[in-house]
Amino acid sequence: SNWSACTVQCGNGTRTRHISQTATNSGKNCTGPSTEICIITSCTTTHLSALGATVKQNGDYADRPATLAIDGSPTTATGQNLYPGSTCAATIKSTNPWLQIDLKAVYLVSRVRAI
């Protein structure tokens, strides 16, 4: 059969197809699924969670966990309505706050936007 669509829209994934080949010259039939890696590198995304990224920070403030930093929410892009009901991530009060994002693969990053 034809290859299925890749399991991801951006990054590293897999695709499958079913093989059914009748044997010739006293060989054995070949049947079953076949899987291969697919890598989609020409992609655009506004949120890293679509890439399967994980994120952590030095401590969540109230109900603003680190995952909100990569959800692509337009509220965070406007800088408006930060409190209450904000979809921004926020850390606990700290001298050296930090946020770490693991993209799970190598990407060419053309822009990072922090608000």
Side-chain angles (χ1 to χ4, degrees):
S1 63
N2 293 328
W3 286 106
S4 67
C6 191
T7 56
V8 297
Q9 294 179 358
C10 187
N12 301 337
T14 58
R15 62 185 189 164
T16 58
R17 68 179 174 175
H18 185 78
I19 298 172
S20 181
Q21 179 67 43
T22 304
T24 59
N25 299 326
S26 301
K28 292 184 179 181
N29 290 341
C30 180
T31 60
S34 176
T35 303
E36 73 174 12
I37 294 172
C38 52
I39 301 171
I40 301 175
T41 58
S42 58
C43 48
T44 302
T45 183
T46 58
H47 57 289
L48 298 174
S49 60
L51 301 176
T54 57
V55 62
K56 57 186 175 180
Q57 59 191 16
N58 65 310
D60 295 342
Y61 175 77
D63 59 347
R64 293 172 177 78
T67 53
L68 293 175
I70 62 170
D71 69 351
S73 170
T75 303
T76 61
T78 66
Q80 302 297 316
N81 191 27
L82 295 179
Y83 297 101
S86 173
T87 58
C88 295
T91 64
I92 57 174
K93 187 173 182 178
S94 171
T95 305
N96 297 305
W98 56 267
L99 179 87
Q100 178 182 356
I101 301 170
D102 183 353
L103 297 176
K104 306 293 185 191
V106 177
Y107 294 94
L108 173 62
V109 178
S110 60
R111 183 174 74 163
V112 175
R113 186 170 166 189
I115 299 172

